[in-house]
Amino acid sequence: MENLIKEKCELYGVDPSVLTENELAALKKEIEEEKRGLRILDSILDNPEIRYRNLK
Amino acid sequence: MGRGHGGTRSGSGTVATTERGLSQKVARAVTQMEESIRTNSFESVHAFDDMGNETYQKQGSAKDAYRVTGIDVKMLKDKVVTHNHPRSLGKSGIKSIGNSLSPSDIVTAVVSDAREMRAASPRYTFSMKRPAGGWGVSEKELKSRYSSVVRRINKLDSAYIKSQNYKVAAIERAEATYWHRVNKALAKSLGWDYSKSKKK
């Protein structure tokens, strides 16, 4: 799972260390769905505020 | 950073760049749907065939308002797919633009071989159209291309934000236009047709 989280964060250009516990849980749920062959439109990682939250 | 696209003048009036290439019937059906969902507080996805018939729809939940999960990709093949992006609802200034298409939107379009993927925020519509010869990339190649584009944009943003002394306005500008700039760069690198238009 850690690798899949890293891979997904890389796709979205997000550092996994900035994610909150809730965001991480939602991301794991997305990954589980994708493993079952289902797709999502939009991800918890879309939120533009995640990317630069450490700079504010 | 990204400026909006306008429309192009045709014999019958102004056609928004996002509606280029669609028959009048399909454009009408899709844009009417977008007008009805763009200010919804939860996300929903709708697919249309070549006759403008809605052939698939799925809604997000109030609890999970910014995503639609469990999409059946078989239902999207050759369809014009649209959905709303409610995240910017109620926001003002540059944040009210709303997100352009996300990587999962585009990956879903490619995997399902959809004809077009669109997203409607309260103020804008964003579109990525499948080229005549097909999307031309595998899911793996697309993800790799995305990663490379986001790394490049992140680098540019870091330099821009630093040059602006980490002002919140600069960060918000980078955030608000992020996926638009990523999609523009991605489309350019793959020869795809990406556009956005302001709500009329």
Side-chain angles (χ1 to χ4, degrees):
Chain A
M1 180 57 88
E2 290 310 307
N3 277 348
L4 292 172
I5 290 171
K6 203 178 147 202
E7 199 179 287
K8 191 119 186 184
C9 284
E10 236 177 70
L11 178 64
Y12 279 78
V14 169
D15 182 344
S17 69
V18 305
L19 299 178
T20 65
E21 224 168 88
N22 283 348
E23 286 163 351
L24 213 50
L27 183 58
K28 283 179 183 170
K29 205 172 134 192
E30 283 177 17
I31 292 169
E32 290 296 341
E33 281 228 348
E34 285 176 354
K35 272 184 178 169
R36 297 206 314 270
L38 295 169
R39 295 282 164 172
I40 57 156
L41 283 189
D42 301 310
S43 162
I44 194 76
L45 300 178
D46 290 348
N47 183 357
E49 289 167 11
I50 289 177
R51 185 159 292 95
Y52 302 115
R53 70 167 44 135
N54 283 354
L55 298 180
K56 285 183 186 170
Chain B
M1 285 191 191
R3 287 261 169 216
H5 293 222
T8 51
R9 185 69 65 176
S10 76
S12 56
T14 301
V15 177
T17 49
T18 45
E19 275 78 83
R20 270 185 325 220
L22 296 179
S23 69
Q24 276 191 358
K25 213 171 181 179
V26 175
R28 196 180 312 118
V30 170
T31 55
Q32 275 176 0
M33 177 58 72
E34 286 166 351
E35 289 319 301
S36 74
I37 61 172
R38 68 168 74 243
T39 55
N40 282 353
S41 57
F42 56 89
E43 204 165 298
S44 63
V45 57
H46 307 264
F48 293 85
D49 66 14
D50 286 345
M51 299 302 292
N53 301 310
E54 188 182 7
T55 54
Y56 179 75
Q57 74 110 5
K58 197 164 194 314
Q59 284 192 353
S61 64
K63 196 180 157 200
D64 201 8
Y66 299 149
R67 298 181 295 170
V68 182
T69 58
I71 304 277
D72 183 353
V73 291
K74 292 190 296 292
M75 301 303 291
L76 308 185
K77 184 167 168 51
D78 297 325
K79 304 294 187 295
V80 175
V81 182
T82 191
H83 66 299
N84 60 317
H85 276 177
R87 206 181 283 278
S88 63
L89 202 60
K91 298 204 171 153
S92 58
I94 197 159
K95 285 186 171 186
S96 68
I97 293 173
N99 274 353
S100 177
L101 295 154
S102 70
S104 59
D105 294 341
I106 303 294
V107 170
T108 299
V110 168
V111 169
S112 63
D113 198 20
R115 179 180 165 190
E116 180 180 352
M117 180 59 79
R118 302 165 63 94
S121 77
R123 286 182 55 208
Y124 282 86
T125 303
F126 306 90
S127 157
M128 191 76 86
K129 291 178 172 65
R130 183 179 65 188
W135 292 106
V137 282
S138 67
E139 181 177 1
K140 196 177 170 190
E141 286 163 344
L142 175 61
K143 285 181 171 175
S144 159
R145 193 70 69 108
Y146 246 120
S147 298
S148 138
V149 171
V150 295
R151 271 199 303 274
R152 183 152 47 92
I153 301 283
N154 284 357
K155 213 170 164 183
L156 288 170
D157 278 5
S158 296
Y160 165 72
I161 291 167
K162 192 177 173 189
S163 76
Q164 300 295 308
N165 294 318
Y166 300 93
K167 282 184 193 138
V168 171
I171 297 170
E172 286 181 353
R173 184 165 187 77
E175 287 172 351
T177 59
Y178 186 80
W179 292 119
H180 172 63
R181 289 177 291 124
V182 167
N183 286 324
K184 252 173 101 170
L186 183 80
K188 193 176 174 191
S189 79
L190 290 165
W192 291 352
D193 179 5
Y194 169 71
S195 59
K196 79 166 183 178
S197 58
K198 200 170 182 180
K199 178 184 173 301
K200 282 177 191 165

